[in-house]
Amino acid sequence: MASREIYFCVLLAFAGILVSCDPVEQGELHVIHKRQAPAERPSCQTGAAVPETRVDTTTRLQAIRTLFPGVPGGAIHAYIVPSVDAHQSEYPSYYDLRRGYISGFEGSAGTAVILTNSAALWTDGRYHLEADENLDCNWTFMKQGLPGVPSISDWLVDQLKTTPGARVGASPFLMNARTWKSYSEKFAKSGIAMVEVANDLVDQIWTSGRPAQPNTPINELPMEYAGKSWDSKIGDVRGKMNAKGAAAYIVTSLDETAWLFNLRASDIAYNPFFISYAIVERNRVRLYILNHATKLTQEPTDAATTRKLYEHLNTGMGGSCASSTGSCVEVLAYTSNGIVAAVADIASNSSNKVWVSLLCNQAIYSAIPEAQRIHGKSAIALMKSKKNIVERAGMQASHIRDAVALINFLERLEREVKAGQPWTEVKAAVELKKERFKQELNRGLSFPTIAGSGSNGAIIHYRPTNVTDKQITTSDMFLLDSGGQYLDGTTDVTRTLHFGQPSDYEKECYTRVLMGHIDLALLKWPKGLYGREIDAIARAPLWEAGLRYLHGTGHGIGAFLSVHEGPGRISLSHNVNPSDEALEEHMYFSDEPGYYEDGQFGIRLETIVTIELAQTAHPFPNSVFLGFKPVTLVPYEPNLINFDMLGPKQIKWLNDYHKRVEQEVGPKLSGAALQWVKARTLSISNQSTSSATTYAPTALLMMGAAVLSVMSLR
Amino acid sequence: MASREIYFCVLLAFAGILVSCDPVEQGELHVIHKRQAPAERPSCQTGAAVPETRVDTTTRLQAIRTLFPGVPGGAIHAYIVPSVDAHQSEYPSYYDLRRGYISGFEGSAGTAVILTNSAALWTDGRYHLEADENLDCNWTFMKQGLPGVPSISDWLVDQLKTTPGARVGASPFLMNARTWKSYSEKFAKSGIAMVEVANDLVDQIWTSGRPAQPNTPINELPMEYAGKSWDSKIGDVRGKMNAKGAAAYIVTSLDETAWLFNLRASDIAYNPFFISYAIVERNRVRLYILNHATKLTQEPTDAATTRKLYEHLNTGMGGSCASSTGSCVEVLAYTSNGIVAAVADIASNSSNKVWVSLLCNQAIYSAIPEAQRIHGKSAIALMKSKKNIVERAGMQASHIRDAVALINFLERLEREVKAGQPWTEVKAAVELKKERFKQELNRGLSFPTIAGSGSNGAIIHYRPTNVTDKQITTSDMFLLDSGGQYLDGTTDVTRTLHFGQPSDYEKECYTRVLMGHIDLALLKWPKGLYGREIDAIARAPLWEAGLRYLHGTGHGIGAFLSVHEGPGRISLSHNVNPSDEALEEHMYFSDEPGYYEDGQFGIRLETIVTIELAQTAHPFPNSVFLGFKPVTLVPYEPNLINFDMLGPKQIKWLNDYHKRVEQEVGPKLSGAALQWVKARTLSISNQSTSSATTYAPTALLMMGAAVLSVMSLR
C-alpha cells in the first residue's frame, strides 16, 4: 500500500513538528476551492444535489455545544476532535471513530474543530473528494496541504481573537503531548487557553448507535513465529532503560504491546492488536488490557495457540504475580484513569525517571513531572523493526504463500478477462481475498484491497465500492495493491497489469516506474543513511521525463503486525521526523514508486524488500555497505515494459528476480498458474544495436514475447 | 574546492543546532586517540620530538587567566575563544585570528576553551594532524566529530561541576545568538552562568605582534558586472522587510554588505570583502565601515571603477545624507559599540520589529527585546544566490577565461612532466596562479590552490608547503583544485590527471567518480527539492563498488564573492540546516564527488553548474522541473576513463560537454593548448557488443585514443 507521505506530513503537522506541510511532493494539483466555508461549497448551494453519503450532523453539533458551558474549570469556546485513539493509532477501532461520528467523515485522517457557531474539518488530498460528500453544510472544509489553507491553530487563533479569555478544549488522551504543547504555546501568545477535558465530549453525546468497544480474543504468537520470548524482549527494553537511567518505560502504541508480549488479537480491522497499555519497570511489568478479566482465562481461538493468556504471561489466573522477579506480567484492567494513576504513582518517587515515546498522549505525559520525564524515541520501535532470524524466515515464507495466492488469482483474472468474462474491481477484491484465505497460516488481509481499473487506478488510496466499481477490461490498466496477515508475516504487494495492447505512452510510464523500482532495489549505500537520503534514486527515471508521484517511496512493514510500521521510511521530506531511524539490516520496507495520470490510469509497483549487508568489490576503511533483497516474489507485467529503455543492470536485476520467483514460488504452483509464471519469468537478453548516434541499447524480449503472443490468442 | 560537509557540521554543532555531528559521511577513520589530555598526547610524552610548527602558549595562557578574576560583574572560571569574527565569517582576517593566537592552531575551524588550570581545543578531521603539531602540551586535544569526543558544553559542564556559581565567559560578538542560547540553557541546568565579556580577553592580551586591522581600498563593482544597482537591491530587501513587518534588517555577514552595496575590497584573503555592518530601514540605510573616513574619498584603485565611494553611495563626502529618501547611504564608523547602540536605538521604539539572520552575533541579538525580534533566515542570502542575468553572463565569461588559464597551464604541465622536466606541487600552484593573473578582469585567486600529487591528493584540504611538496610524475595521479576571482565571477574547478599509465583500479575509481559527477549533472527534478534530497545521485556509482567520499557533493559559489556561498548546498545531512533553501533557477553550485585512498591517491572532479528550467518529454500538472547546466568548461582526463563502464546517457553528456569546451573555449586558445583541447574533446562513440550473458556496453575511444597515443609519444 502506498506509503503515506501525505499522511506523515499531516501527522507531523498535527504533532506540531512542522510549521507547514511542504507541498512539494504532495502536489499543488487542485488549488481551487481549497478552503470552503459552508456557503462556498458547491454541494451546499441552493439546488445542489445532496450526496447519498452525506451525514446530517446538526443534532450532534447542537448536543456537543450544549456541553461547552459545563466543562469543569470553566466554559470552553472550541473543541478539537482528532482522528486517533488514546494510542495515537493510524487506524483506530470503530468504537474510537469519534471524529467520524461528529463530522460524518470517516476517512482515516482528519481533524474536526467545533466552535459555538461554526465547525471545520481538515483532511488531506487523499480524502478531498470523499470528505466533501460526507460533510454536511454545517462544516467548513479545509483541504489540508494546499497553499492558503490555514493550520488548525492559526484558524482557531483567528476565530477566537475577539473572544476574551477564550478556552479551547480537547481530550488529553486523544492528542499526543507534542501537539498539545505546540497548541498551548501558540494559543498562549494570543491569550487563549488549551484545556484538558478529561471526559471527552463526543463520548458524552455518542450514546446511541455507537459500536461496542472491541473485545476480540487474544492469542499467543508462538515462538516458532515470534522468534524471541516476551521476557527476552522485556530484557532488551530494560537494557535501553538502564542506558537512559529510566525507572519505567510506558508502552502506549498498540503494535508495541502486541510485539512486546507476543500476543495478537483483532480489536482493530486489518491490525492484529488489542487495546492496551503496558508499564515496564526494572522489576515489574504491568499490562493493561481492555476486558482483561475474560481474556486471562479464555481458551485460545487460534489453532496455533495452546496456552491461555495467564499461562503465556506466567501470571496467576487473576492476573497477579506471586513475586516481583520480572518474569511474570501483571494483567490489569484497562481504564484511562488507571494508567494515568499508575504512571503518576511511579513518578511520585522523585528519583524515578519515566520514559515515554513521542506518540505518548498528553494525559500520560502530563502525569510525569518535567524533571523526571524522558520524552523521545520509542524504546521498542527500532528493535521491533529489525526482524529476528525467525521473523525473517517467516516474512519470506509468508510472502511466498502470498505470491501463490496472488498468482493463482492473476492467472485466472487474465484468462477470464481475455475470454470476455465480466470482472469488476469489487469482484477482483473478493476473489483475491478468497485466494489469500486459502493459504496456510493466513489470518485475514492487512488492509482493504485497492483494485483500480483505468482511471480508478489514478486515485492513490482508492477502495472500490458499489458506486465506483468499474469493469476490468483488455483496454485498461489495472492496478492491484493488496496484502495479507499471516501468523508468520504481513504482506503488501502492488502489481499493475494490462491484458490488451497498452499504448507506447502507457508502456513508457510503466517502464519508468519499473526503472526507479529496480534502481532503488539495486542501490548499495554506506550504513548510517536515512531513507529520505536515498528516496530520489527511485524517482529519477520518472523525473527525467517530467513525471512524478506524490507519495513516499517506501514504508516499513511489521511481522504479523501493522502494514505500515516505523520508525524508518523511504520518503522525501524537507523536515526531519524526530522518530525517524537510519536504515539497518533486517528492516523491511516497501519499494513502491508509481505514476498516476488523472482520469486515465494509475501505475504502482510495490515489492517488499529487506536490508542486508551488501557485498562490494572494494573495501572502504571502517565502512559497512547495505543493500536491499526482494521479499515479495510476484512477476512484473512484460506487456507493459519497453525493454529498450532498460539498462543492462536493470535487465540483470529483472532476470535475477524472475529466476527467484520461478525457483521459490514455482514449486508451489501447478497447472495454468505455473505456466503463467513460467511465461512471465523467462530470462530477457538485451542485444544492443551499434550506431554512432544511437546510444539506447535495444533489448529484445525473446522467448517470453513469443509465449505471451501465443497466450494472448487464447 | 570540496564543500565543507565537515565544516558545516561543526558550524551547526557550534551553533547549537545539532546534538552531535553525525559521523556517517564524516568518517570514523581514526577512532583511536580521539580525546587526548596533554599527558596522553604522544607528542607530549618524554623524549618525543617537538614539532617545528609548535607554538608555546604558556605565557599567553597565563596572561589571559590573570584577567579571569577582573571580568566586570564577577570572576569567570572559563573562557571560550571561537574561530570566527564578529560577522561569523568562515575565513576571518589575520587580525581576527584570536583562537589561532591563544592556541597556536590557526586552521580555519576550531574552538579553544581555557579554564583556570587547563585548556582544550576542538577541531574537525581536516585538521587533526595539523592541530596536534601546532598545539603545545598545555592543551587537551578534542578530535571533533569522532565518537566519544565530548561536546564543548558537555565538557565544560563536567569540568565545572565542582565549582559552585561557575561562570563561563565569551565575547558576545564572536558567537552567534543561537549558539549562545544553547550554551546558556544547557549551562543553566547545571547552575553555570554564561557571561558576556564585552571587552574580549584575547584582544586585551594580544598586544604585540598582532596584525593590523585590515584596511584595503573599497572599489565599486560597476553595473556591467553587478547587474543590479544597490538601491534596487535595497528595494528588494525592503520588500521582504514589509512582508515580515520589519522596521529594520541588520546586515552582519560580510558577503552580504559587499553584495548589497556593489562594493568589493580585500580585507580578507581570497574574499573580496570589507569589514562592515549595515542597517536597512524603510527610509534609511546605514553602512558601518572599518576606516570609513579615508575610504569615502579614496581614489578607486581598480581600473574598472571610476567613482569614489561617496559618489557611488550618493552620500556627502563626510558620509551623511542630505535627506532621508533612502537613495543615499550614510557611511559611519565601524565600532562594536556603535552598531549595538544603533540597533538598540531602533528597538527603543517598541513598535519596531528588527530582523536579524541566524548568523547574527549575540551582542546585536541581545540589543533587541525578544518581542520585537525577527530571528530567522537572512533577507539577502537567497536573493544573492540567484544570480541576475548580468551576473550569469559574467559567471560564464569568467569561467571561460579561467578555463583558458587552466588549459594553458595543464598543456604545459603535461608536456613538461612527460618530457621529464621537474615539476612539484608548489611550482604547479605558482605557475597556475600566473596563468590566472594573465586573464582579463582577474582579481586574484578564490582560495589557496590545492595541488596534490599521489598520496597528497588523498588529503582533502591539502595545501602544498615546502615541507610536504612532492614531485608531479608520470606514475602518480595529480589532483588540482583551484579557482580565481574575477570582476565578473568567482571560479572553482578540480580536475584529476594522470600523465602516464594508470592502473585499472585507478581508472575504475576515476570513472566511478565521473559517473556520479555526470549522473548529478544529468538529473532533472521537480522544483522544490533541497540539495540534501538529491546528493545520493552523485554517490551511487561509488557506493556500488563499496567506495565513498567523506565530504559534501556541492556548495554554492558567489559572483566575485565567496567561493563557498549559502544558503543552498548539495550534501547528505541527517539534520536540517535551518538556513538551507530549496534549489532554484540561477543558483550556482559545485558538482564535486571524489574518492580518496589514504596514502595512495586522491580523485576529485569539480565542475560549477547552474540551475535552469529543464525541458521534459511530458508535462506534469502544476510542476516545473529543474536541471543543471555546466559553467566550468575544462576537459576531463581520457587517460583515466574506463569507457566500458559508462552508459549511453553518460557518454552523450560527456560528448556534449566536450563539444561545448571546444566551441566555447577553443576559440580563445592557440597552438599546443588548442591541440591539447581538441585531442581531449573528441567525440566518443560507444558500440555495444551483443551477448546473451554480457550486458555491459563496450565503449570505444576511437579517434581520441589514436590522437592521444600519438601525443604520448612526443
Side-chain angles (χ1 to χ4, degrees):
Chain A
M1 177 163 50
S3 65
R4 303 289 176 84
E5 194 161 82
I6 294 168
Y7 168 77
F8 277 113
C9 166
V10 172
L11 183 72
L12 289 171
F14 185 65
I17 291 158
L18 303 185
V19 175
S20 67
C21 281
D22 234 306
V24 172
E25 282 304 314
Q26 294 144 31
E28 300 175 23
L29 304 180
H30 309 284
V31 289
I32 49 170
H33 305 311
K34 58 202 177 188
R35 174 185 178 179
Q36 298 174 325
E40 294 160 4
R41 291 172 55 199
S43 63
C44 288
Q45 287 169 4
T46 313
V50 176
E52 280 180 45
T53 55
R54 184 154 287 182
V55 180
D56 184 350
T57 60
T58 307
T59 314
R60 298 172 190 179
L61 287 171
Q62 284 170 346
I64 202 168
R65 285 175 181 139
T66 62
L67 301 175
F68 282 18
V71 165
I76 58 169
H77 306 87
Y79 195 67
I80 302 174
V81 185
S83 70
V84 296
D85 61 14
H87 310 279
Q88 313 294 305
S89 304
E90 181 179 357
Y91 307 102
S93 74
Y94 299 119
Y95 172 84
D96 280 312
L97 294 178
R98 294 175 183 82
R99 188 257 302 137
Y101 173 76
I102 195 67
S103 70
F105 165 65
E106 296 197 346
S108 70
T111 302
V113 178
I114 300 121
L115 281 80
T116 52
N117 54 5
S118 64
L121 181 121
W122 282 253
T123 191
D124 65 63
R126 288 176 288 160
Y127 293 114
H128 287 174
L129 294 175
E130 182 179 340
D132 186 55
E133 297 208 335
N134 296 158
L135 294 172
D136 72 17
C137 299
N138 291 298
W139 292 85
T140 293
F141 183 22
M142 302 289 194
K143 296 184 176 178
Q144 201 159 20
L146 298 186
V149 175
S151 71
I152 292 168
S153 56
D154 280 342
W155 187 75
L156 273 168
V157 165
D158 184 63
Q159 294 290 305
L160 297 172
K161 65 187 173 208
T162 58
T163 307
R167 292 159 54 84
V168 176
S171 163
F173 288 94
L174 305 180
M175 194 177 286
N176 74 56
R178 286 177 75 94
T179 308
W180 193 281
K181 186 176 178 208
S182 82
Y183 281 171
S184 298
E185 290 179 353
K186 181 151 192 180
F187 291 161
K189 288 181 186 166
S190 301
I192 300 170
M194 186 76 189
V195 178
E196 295 190 13
V197 179
N199 189 2
D200 179 57
L201 302 191
V202 177
D203 285 352
Q204 294 184 49
I205 65 164
W206 194 2
T207 47
S208 75
R210 183 172 191 172
Q213 283 194 298
N215 187 9
T216 59
I218 297 180
N219 291 288
E220 171 187 1
L221 184 70
M223 278 292 283
E224 62 186 295
Y225 306 118
K228 190 176 174 85
S229 66
W230 64 257
D231 48 335
S232 170
K233 293 177 180 179
I234 292 284
D236 292 346
V237 171
R238 285 184 172 134
K240 287 196 169 192
M241 287 164 52
N242 287 342
K244 284 196 187 256
Y249 175 71
I250 316 300
V251 192
T252 62
S253 295
L254 299 184
D255 67 337
E256 296 195 351
T257 49
W259 176 85
L260 182 60
F261 297 103
N262 293 341
L263 296 172
R264 300 292 189 274
S266 307
D267 280 2
I268 294 180
Y270 308 103
N271 291 271
F273 305 153
F274 52 98
I275 306 295
S276 51
Y277 291 107
I279 300 177
V280 181
E281 294 174 273
R282 292 187 188 120
N283 290 299
R284 188 178 184 191
V285 182
R286 281 176 276 183
L287 177 55
Y288 297 79
I289 303 181
L290 187 62
N291 300 306
H292 76 297
T294 53
K295 298 274 199 301
L296 267 169
T297 54
Q298 206 167 35
E299 289 296 332
T301 60
D302 198 310
T305 310
T306 55
R307 290 191 296 179
K308 294 175 182 152
L309 184 59
Y310 78 90
E311 292 169 337
H312 172 70
L313 296 175
N314 295 335
T315 184
M317 287 174 63
S320 59
C321 292
S323 68
S324 290
T325 61
S327 62
C328 160
V329 177
E330 295 170 53
V331 179
L332 299 156
Y334 173 100
T335 66
S336 295
N337 294 337
I339 181 74
V340 171
V343 172
D345 184 61
I346 294 169
S348 67
N349 179 340
S350 65
S351 65
N352 282 345
K353 296 213 171 197
V354 182
W355 182 358
V356 289
S357 85
L358 296 167
L359 284 180
C360 173
N361 66 48
Q362 168 69 11
I364 291 173
Y365 178 90
S366 62
I368 311 161
E370 187 178 345
Q372 290 167 252
R373 196 189 291 137
I374 301 170
H375 189 214
K377 290 183 176 178
S378 159
I380 290 173
L382 179 61
M383 59 173 90
K384 171 163 58 64
S385 71
K386 297 169 66 175
K387 274 61 172 175
N388 65 47
I389 190 167
V390 171
E391 290 170 323
R392 301 202 294 274
M395 283 294 274
Q396 187 60 72
S398 60
H399 277 75
I400 288 172
R401 291 194 303 280
D402 197 67
V404 169
L406 184 54
I407 288 166
N408 281 334
F409 166 78
L410 286 175
E411 183 280 325
R412 177 184 161 206
L413 177 71
E414 176 167 358
R415 178 164 36 85
E416 297 192 356
V417 167
K418 283 182 172 174
Q421 295 184 36
W423 273 86
T424 70
E425 298 162 345
V426 168
K427 179 178 173 186
V430 168
E431 295 300 312
L432 173 56
K433 187 173 177 177
K434 288 180 190 166
E435 289 291 341
R436 281 206 163 87
F437 281 16
K438 285 182 199 167
Q439 297 299 318
E440 202 182 349
L441 307 186
N442 181 272
R443 293 296 180 274
L445 301 186
S446 57
F447 59 96
T449 295
I450 299 171
S453 175
S455 59
N456 281 344
I459 304 167
I460 296 177
H461 283 85
Y462 175 71
R463 307 283 153 94
T465 68
N466 57 338
V467 178
T468 62
D469 200 17
K470 280 186 74 168
Q471 291 285 325
I472 301 167
T473 72
T474 56
S475 54
D476 282 311
M477 293 237 235
F478 178 55
L479 184 156
L480 183 61
D481 184 353
S482 64
Q485 293 286 9
Y486 298 85
L487 269 185
D488 53 351
T490 301
T491 71
D492 182 4
V493 50
T494 310
R495 290 294 181 264
T496 303
L497 306 115
H498 198 299
F499 303 136
Q501 290 302 323
S503 70
D504 287 349
Y505 178 63
E506 287 170 329
K507 288 177 73 168
E508 179 189 346
C509 294
Y510 182 98
T511 306
R512 289 190 181 278
V513 172
L514 179 65
M515 290 161 72
H517 183 78
I518 293 175
D519 285 353
L520 183 67
L522 275 171
L523 186 72
K524 296 174 184 177
W525 69 91
K527 185 171 175 173
L529 297 195
Y530 288 76
R532 61 180 177 272
E533 297 174 301
I534 64 170
D535 176 281
I537 300 286
R539 298 178 195 268
L542 282 159
W543 288 348
E544 182 182 32
L547 307 178
R548 56 195 300 209
Y549 53 96
L550 305 177
H551 58 71
T553 299
H555 58 80
I557 183 169
F560 192 23
L561 286 170
S562 179
V563 72
H564 288 165
E565 178 179 278
R569 61 196 172 107
I570 303 169
S571 176
L572 286 184
S573 61
H574 300 338
N575 299 283
V576 174
N577 179 339
S579 63
D580 207 3
E581 297 275 5
L583 303 173
E584 290 193 40
E585 301 94 300
H586 311 319
M587 287 181 173
Y588 285 69
F589 289 96
S590 66
D591 169 6
E592 53 174 318
Y595 176 68
Y596 311 90
E597 187 123 334
D598 270 1
Q600 302 296 322
F601 60 83
I603 298 163
R604 185 162 61 250
L605 296 175
E606 176 183 26
T607 292
I608 301 300
V609 293
T610 182
I611 298 178
E612 296 193 340
L613 290 179
Q615 301 300 317
T616 58
H618 306 295
F620 191 89
N622 298 297
S623 286
V624 165
F625 280 75
L626 302 177
F628 292 117
K629 181 185 178 189
V631 180
T632 303
L633 292 171
V634 177
Y636 296 92
E637 174 61 280
N639 202 19
L640 278 165
I641 303 176
N642 177 347
F643 290 95
D644 287 347
M645 292 172 63
L646 300 182
K649 290 172 192 164
Q650 291 162 337
I651 288 178
K652 181 175 187 311
W653 185 92
L654 203 57
N655 283 337
D656 290 348
Y657 180 82
H658 279 152
K659 191 170 182 181
R660 275 193 66 203
V661 173
E662 203 229 324
Q663 293 181 340
E664 298 181 38
V665 185
K668 307 200 173 245
L669 298 169
S670 61
L674 179 58
Q675 293 313 311
W676 186 89
V677 160
K678 282 185 183 290
R680 284 174 174 250
T681 56
L682 286 168
S683 183
I684 307 306
S685 66
N686 79 321
Q687 181 175 330
S688 304
T689 56
S690 51
S691 153
T693 54
T694 305
Y695 295 112
T698 302
L700 298 178
L701 172 56
M702 289 160 54
M703 287 298 289
V707 172
L708 287 164
S709 305
V710 172
M711 288 181 66
S712 67
L713 294 174
R714 286 196 292 189
Chain B
M1 176 163 51
S3 64
R4 303 290 177 83
E5 194 161 82
I6 295 168
Y7 169 77
F8 277 112
C9 166
V10 172
L11 183 72
L12 289 173
F14 184 64
I17 291 158
L18 302 187
V19 175
S20 68
C21 282
D22 233 305
V24 171
E25 282 304 312
Q26 294 144 31
E28 300 175 24
L29 304 180
H30 309 285
V31 288
I32 49 169
H33 305 312
K34 58 202 175 187
R35 174 186 179 179
Q36 297 175 325
E40 294 159 3
R41 293 171 56 198
S43 63
C44 289
Q45 287 170 3
T46 313
V50 176
E52 281 181 43
T53 54
R54 184 154 288 183
V55 180
D56 184 350
T57 61
T58 308
T59 314
R60 298 173 191 180
L61 287 171
Q62 283 169 346
I64 202 166
R65 285 175 179 137
T66 61
L67 300 175
F68 281 18
V71 165
I76 59 169
H77 306 87
Y79 195 67
I80 302 175
V81 185
S83 70
V84 296
D85 61 15
H87 310 279
Q88 312 294 306
S89 303
E90 180 178 357
Y91 306 102
S93 75
Y94 299 118
Y95 172 85
D96 280 312
L97 293 178
R98 294 175 183 83
R99 188 257 302 136
Y101 173 77
I102 195 67
S103 69
F105 165 65
E106 296 198 347
S108 69
T111 303
V113 178
I114 301 123
L115 281 81
T116 52
N117 55 6
S118 64
L121 182 120
W122 282 254
T123 189
D124 65 63
R126 288 176 288 160
Y127 293 114
H128 287 173
L129 294 175
E130 182 179 340
D132 185 56
E133 296 208 334
N134 295 158
L135 293 173
D136 73 16
C137 299
N138 291 298
W139 293 85
T140 293
F141 183 22
M142 301 289 193
K143 295 184 176 178
Q144 201 159 21
L146 298 185
V149 175
S151 71
I152 293 168
S153 55
D154 279 342
W155 188 74
L156 274 168
V157 165
D158 184 63
Q159 294 290 306
L160 297 172
K161 65 189 173 205
T162 57
T163 308
R167 292 158 54 85
V168 176
S171 163
F173 288 95
L174 304 180
M175 194 177 286
N176 73 56
R178 285 177 75 93
T179 308
W180 193 282
K181 187 176 177 209
S182 82
Y183 282 171
S184 298
E185 290 178 354
K186 181 152 192 178
F187 292 163
K189 288 182 186 166
S190 302
I192 301 170
M194 185 77 190
V195 179
E196 295 191 14
V197 179
N199 188 3
D200 178 59
L201 302 191
V202 177
D203 285 351
Q204 294 184 49
I205 64 165
W206 194 2
T207 47
S208 74
R210 183 171 192 172
Q213 283 194 297
N215 187 10
T216 59
I218 297 181
N219 291 288
E220 172 188 0
L221 184 69
M223 277 293 283
E224 63 187 295
Y225 306 118
K228 191 175 174 86
S229 67
W230 64 257
D231 48 337
S232 171
K233 292 177 180 178
I234 292 284
D236 291 346
V237 171
R238 286 185 173 134
K240 287 196 170 193
M241 287 163 53
N242 288 342
K244 283 196 186 257
Y249 176 71
I250 316 300
V251 192
T252 62
S253 295
L254 300 184
D255 67 337
E256 296 196 352
T257 50
W259 175 84
L260 183 60
F261 297 103
N262 292 341
L263 295 172
R264 299 292 189 273
S266 307
D267 280 1
I268 293 181
Y270 307 103
N271 292 271
F273 304 153
F274 50 98
I275 307 294
S276 51
Y277 291 108
I279 300 177
V280 180
E281 293 174 274
R282 291 187 188 119
N283 290 298
R284 189 178 183 190
V285 182
R286 280 176 276 183
L287 178 55
Y288 296 81
I289 304 181
L290 188 62
N291 300 307
H292 76 297
T294 53
K295 299 274 199 299
L296 268 169
T297 55
Q298 207 167 33
E299 289 295 334
T301 58
D302 198 309
T305 310
T306 56
R307 291 190 298 178
K308 293 171 182 156
L309 185 58
Y310 79 89
E311 292 169 337
H312 173 69
L313 296 174
N314 295 334
T315 185
M317 287 174 61
S320 59
C321 292
S323 67
S324 291
T325 61
S327 61
C328 160
V329 177
E330 295 170 54
V331 178
L332 299 156
Y334 173 100
T335 66
S336 295
N337 295 337
I339 182 74
V340 171
V343 171
D345 184 59
I346 294 169
S348 67
N349 178 340
S350 65
S351 66
N352 282 344
K353 295 214 171 193
V354 182
W355 182 358
V356 290
S357 86
L358 295 167
L359 284 180
C360 173
N361 65 48
Q362 168 69 10
I364 291 174
Y365 178 90
S366 62
I368 311 162
E370 187 179 347
Q372 290 167 251
R373 196 189 292 138
I374 301 169
H375 188 215
K377 289 182 176 179
S378 159
I380 289 173
L382 179 61
M383 58 173 90
K384 170 163 58 65
S385 71
K386 297 169 69 173
K387 274 60 172 174
N388 64 48
I389 191 167
V390 171
E391 289 171 323
R392 300 201 296 272
M395 284 294 275
Q396 187 60 72
S398 60
H399 276 76
I400 288 173
R401 292 195 304 281
D402 198 68
V404 169
L406 185 53
I407 288 167
N408 281 334
F409 165 78
L410 287 175
E411 183 281 324
R412 178 185 161 206
L413 178 71
E414 175 167 359
R415 178 164 36 84
E416 296 191 357
V417 168
K418 283 182 171 173
Q421 296 184 35
W423 273 86
T424 69
E425 298 162 346
V426 168
K427 179 178 174 187
V430 169
E431 294 299 312
L432 173 56
K433 186 174 176 176
K434 288 180 190 166
E435 289 292 341
R436 281 207 163 86
F437 282 16
K438 285 182 199 169
Q439 297 299 317
E440 203 181 348
L441 306 186
N442 181 271
R443 294 296 181 276
L445 302 186
S446 57
F447 60 95
T449 295
I450 299 171
S453 175
S455 59
N456 282 345
I459 303 167
I460 295 176
H461 283 86
Y462 176 70
R463 307 284 154 92
T465 68
N466 57 340
V467 177
T468 61
D469 201 16
K470 280 186 74 169
Q471 292 285 326
I472 301 167
T473 72
T474 56
S475 54
D476 282 311
M477 293 239 235
F478 178 55
L479 184 156
L480 184 61
D481 184 352
S482 65
Q485 292 287 10
Y486 299 85
L487 270 185
D488 53 350
T490 301
T491 71
D492 182 3
V493 50
T494 310
R495 291 293 181 265
T496 302
L497 305 115
H498 198 298
F499 302 137
Q501 290 302 323
S503 70
D504 287 348
Y505 178 63
E506 287 171 327
K507 289 176 73 167
E508 180 189 345
C509 293
Y510 181 97
T511 306
R512 289 190 180 277
V513 172
L514 179 65
M515 289 160 74
H517 183 77
I518 293 176
D519 286 352
L520 184 66
L522 275 171
L523 186 72
K524 296 174 183 175
W525 69 92
K527 184 171 175 174
L529 297 195
Y530 289 75
R532 60 180 179 272
E533 296 173 301
I534 64 170
D535 175 281
I537 300 287
R539 298 179 194 266
L542 282 158
W543 288 347
E544 182 182 32
L547 307 178
R548 55 194 300 209
Y549 52 95
L550 304 178
H551 58 70
T553 299
H555 58 80
I557 182 168
F560 193 23
L561 287 170
S562 179
V563 73
H564 288 166
E565 179 178 279
R569 62 197 172 104
I570 302 169
S571 177
L572 287 185
S573 61
H574 300 337
N575 298 283
V576 173
N577 179 339
S579 64
D580 206 3
E581 297 275 4
L583 303 173
E584 289 194 40
E585 302 94 298
H586 311 318
M587 287 180 172
Y588 285 69
F589 289 95
S590 67
D591 169 7
E592 51 174 320
Y595 176 68
Y596 311 91
E597 187 123 334
D598 270 2
Q600 301 297 323
F601 60 83
I603 297 164
R604 186 162 60 249
L605 295 175
E606 177 183 26
T607 292
I608 301 299
V609 292
T610 182
I611 298 177
E612 297 193 341
L613 289 179
Q615 301 300 317
T616 58
H618 306 296
F620 191 89
N622 298 297
S623 286
V624 165
F625 279 76
L626 302 177
F628 293 118
K629 182 187 176 186
V631 181
T632 302
L633 292 171
V634 177
Y636 297 92
E637 174 62 279
N639 202 20
L640 278 165
I641 303 176
N642 177 347
F643 289 95
D644 286 347
M645 291 172 64
L646 300 182
K649 289 171 192 165
Q650 292 163 336
I651 288 177
K652 181 175 187 311
W653 185 92
L654 203 58
N655 283 337
D656 290 348
Y657 180 82
H658 279 152
K659 191 171 183 183
R660 275 192 66 203
V661 173
E662 203 229 325
Q663 292 181 342
E664 298 181 37
V665 185
K668 308 201 174 243
L669 299 169
S670 60
L674 179 58
Q675 293 313 309
W676 187 88
V677 160
K678 280 185 183 292
R680 285 175 173 251
T681 57
L682 286 169
S683 182
I684 307 307
S685 66
N686 78 321
Q687 182 175 330
S688 302
T689 56
S690 52
S691 154
T693 54
T694 304
Y695 294 112
T698 302
L700 296 178
L701 173 57
M702 289 161 55
M703 287 297 290
V707 171
L708 286 165
S709 305
V710 171
M711 288 182 66
S712 67
L713 295 173
R714 285 196 295 191

